Amino acid sequence: MIFFTSLTVTSLLFASNEPKKEQPEVVVEKSEDTKIQVALLLDTSSSMDGLIDQAKARLWNIVNTLSTLKHEGKTPGLEIALYEYGNDGLNEKEGYIRQVTKFTTDLDLLSEKLFALRTNGGQEYCGEVIKKSINQLEWDSKKNSMKLIYIAGNENFDQGSVNYVETISTAVSRQIFVNTIYCGDRQSGISEYWQAGATKGQGKYFNIDQNRTIRYVETPYDADIERLNKKLNDTYYGYGSLGVSKKANQLVQDSNANSMNKAIYAERAVSKSKAAYKNESWDVVDAYKKDASFVDKVKKEELPSEFKDLTKEELKSKLKETDKQREEIQKEIDAVAKKRTLYVEENTSKSDGDDLGAAITASILELAKKYNYKVEN
């Protein structure tokens, strides 16, 4: 069994028995536009159902860990991209590789895409999927932005025509760090070049059992978090062509998390109380919060029924009032979440191994130090 909570991730920084290796010097610049960009490259061949389940289960825990990071007191922007590779159902001409999402701040979309992944046997070309992620994604050019690739799979790392050494060298030259997660025993991952890939990528090498059962602790606080999450949902109002479908998807992703475990549902609710969860593309409150001129730009017919008959001044007042209500609910969720985390800490034993979420959060926190990011709960 694996026991893992958001407050225990820092202890993982010192738990690895991997030998220390030389790290590149990171030049840090001052900027208010700091970003954390994470590209997840997941093997969806026929043996990887457990890996996909771990990704679905750990998404919100990873987001919550990232949400604790501050740079010079400011919250960085969070963007996550998703690729699948090694699946016979994908285009052979594309190397059995598909960009599932480009870098996005839409966490509901990311959850939707993760839950839609299906496995099938295939050829697993690690070098090629890394190359595509480097070339296709819009990586931030600022040196104080954290740029990370996580590739997970279980076949030889050197398969395919694309040389992984050259590709990863290109990534490092752009300060994109490559981390590898081998699904199997540690020594097999080493002999199949997964450790070599991480070493070349100035990242971390992990091995996990993708089929390991993760035990989640249900707590006395879960019911309160569920109640507050429903109140939080009531502060979202869809507008424009995306409004109805995106609002519906918010509820679907709540349901997806709940279908896996009450603890995962709670972690998702906590994520929705963080700055990383923003929906200005479809929610009127977030749209106004990002751009006050939204009130002047939006057409009446694009507004939800609750707002259509309001004057511009009334609309501004209503949006400000709703935003205040939302912030109060988010603060309540945060307060309950801290109690919940302490309860989980007190009622679990030490993890007996890494899972996908533990591997990712541990390496993120370690690399964050190099960029002068600090953990602020």
Side-chain angles (χ1 to χ4, degrees):
M1 295 286 184
I2 290 179
F3 300 89
F4 182 77
T5 65
S6 57
L7 287 186
T8 60
V9 292
T10 51
S11 64
L12 292 168
L13 299 181
F14 309 100
S16 174
N17 59 2
E18 182 181 0
K20 293 182 179 180
K21 53 182 178 287
E22 185 177 347
Q23 296 288 342
E25 180 181 358
V26 176
V27 180
V28 179
E29 296 176 342
K30 291 187 177 181
S31 173
E32 295 184 2
D33 301 320
T34 308
K35 286 184 180 181
I36 301 175
Q37 294 180 309
V38 178
L40 301 176
L41 319 181
L42 303 181
D43 178 355
T44 57
S45 62
S46 55
S47 58
M48 290 291 106
D49 289 292
L51 174 67
I52 305 308
D53 285 344
Q54 286 191 17
K56 291 185 288 189
R58 288 309 193 195
L59 171 63
W60 304 112
N61 186 277
I62 293 167
V63 169
N64 291 338
T65 300
L66 289 166
S67 297
T68 67
L69 297 178
K70 303 285 186 182
H71 184 265
E72 296 181 351
K74 299 181 177 64
T75 301
L78 173 60
E79 298 178 347
I80 303 177
L82 178 63
Y83 279 76
E84 63 168 323
Y85 74 99
N87 189 316
D88 274 346
L90 303 177
N91 191 332
E92 180 180 0
K93 293 181 180 179
E94 293 296 324
Y96 302 104
I97 295 165
R98 180 172 73 99
Q99 183 189 83
V100 181
T101 68
K102 61 183 180 180
F103 278 132
T104 183
T105 60
D106 189 339
L107 298 178
D108 288 346
L109 173 66
L110 188 64
S111 176
E112 174 191 349
K113 297 299 184 182
L114 274 173
F115 274 85
L117 292 179
R118 298 293 180 267
T119 58
N120 196 5
Q123 301 297 313
E124 293 138 73
Y125 303 141
C126 295
E128 188 166 354
V129 70
I130 293 171
K131 183 176 182 179
K132 284 184 182 294
S133 70
I134 293 170
N135 293 337
Q136 293 176 350
L137 295 173
E138 294 184 12
W139 294 94
D140 195 71
S141 60
K142 300 181 187 68
K143 291 182 179 179
N144 60 338
S145 287
M146 287 173 54
K147 294 167 283 190
L148 309 172
I149 290 174
Y150 289 89
I151 180 168
N154 72 338
E155 294 292 340
N156 282 9
F157 199 76
D158 61 347
Q159 289 187 73
S161 60
V162 175
N163 187 304
Y164 78 85
V165 174
E166 295 177 2
T167 298
I168 293 177
S169 294
T170 300
V172 171
S173 71
R174 295 172 57 182
Q175 286 200 309
I176 303 169
F177 295 80
V178 180
N179 305 271
T180 66
I181 304 169
Y182 181 74
C183 300
D185 70 90
R186 183 174 182 81
Q187 191 55 47
S188 293
I190 292 172
S191 63
E192 294 176 10
Y193 305 106
W194 286 78
Q195 186 182 59
T199 301
K200 189 66 180 177
Q202 304 292 351
K204 296 284 290 182
Y205 164 64
F206 294 88
N207 71 291
I208 65 171
D209 177 358
Q210 76 273 20
N211 297 315
R212 187 188 297 272
T213 299
I214 304 172
R215 180 180 173 185
Y216 298 94
V217 177
E218 295 189 16
T219 80
Y221 305 102
D222 294 345
D224 282 341
I225 290 178
E226 182 174 3
R227 174 182 58 82
L228 290 168
N229 182 61
K230 291 177 179 178
K231 285 181 64 177
L232 183 63
N233 286 343
D234 289 340
T235 68
Y236 284 86
Y237 296 89
Y239 75 94
S241 60
L242 297 175
V244 173
S245 62
K246 288 290 190 179
K247 172 63 179 178
N249 192 42
Q250 183 184 60
L251 302 181
V252 169
Q253 299 319 310
D254 279 357
S255 179
N256 278 339
N258 196 42
S259 70
M260 298 194 75
N261 191 279
K262 286 288 185 184
I264 297 171
Y265 178 93
E267 288 176 352
R268 169 171 161 79
V270 173
S271 293
K272 290 164 67 177
S273 73
K274 305 295 185 181
Y277 188 78
K278 52 186 179 180
N279 299 286
E280 59 266 16
S281 67
W282 65 269
D283 169 60
V284 289
V285 178
D286 278 349
Y288 178 68
K289 198 169 184 177
K290 181 181 180 182
D291 181 5
S293 66
F294 168 79
V295 170
D296 299 313
K297 296 175 182 176
V298 68
K299 299 176 182 178
K300 278 191 176 291
E301 57 268 26
E302 293 179 325
L303 290 169
S305 58
E306 296 89 345
F307 296 83
K308 280 184 177 176
D309 296 329
L310 302 179
T311 66
K312 286 186 178 181
E313 288 305 313
E314 289 172 334
L315 178 57
K316 288 180 182 179
S317 177
K318 179 67 174 177
L319 292 174
K320 290 177 181 178
E321 177 187 350
T322 307
D323 183 42
K324 183 178 179 181
Q325 291 173 350
R326 181 181 296 176
E327 289 181 350
E328 289 173 353
I329 296 168
Q330 289 172 328
K331 288 178 181 177
E332 286 187 76
I333 292 175
D334 183 64
V336 177
K338 289 177 180 177
K339 295 178 182 178
R340 179 184 179 277
T341 302
L342 288 174
Y343 180 92
V344 173
E345 289 277 358
E346 293 169 356
N347 288 274
T348 58
S349 59
K350 186 178 179 180
S351 171
D352 61 351
D354 285 335
D355 64 52
L356 183 70
I360 291 175
T361 52
S363 59
I364 285 172
L365 289 169
E366 184 170 338
L367 186 58
K369 295 179 180 179
K370 301 179 184 300
Y371 285 87
N372 293 337
Y373 284 73
K374 295 182 178 179
V375 175
E376 297 181 14
N377 292 309

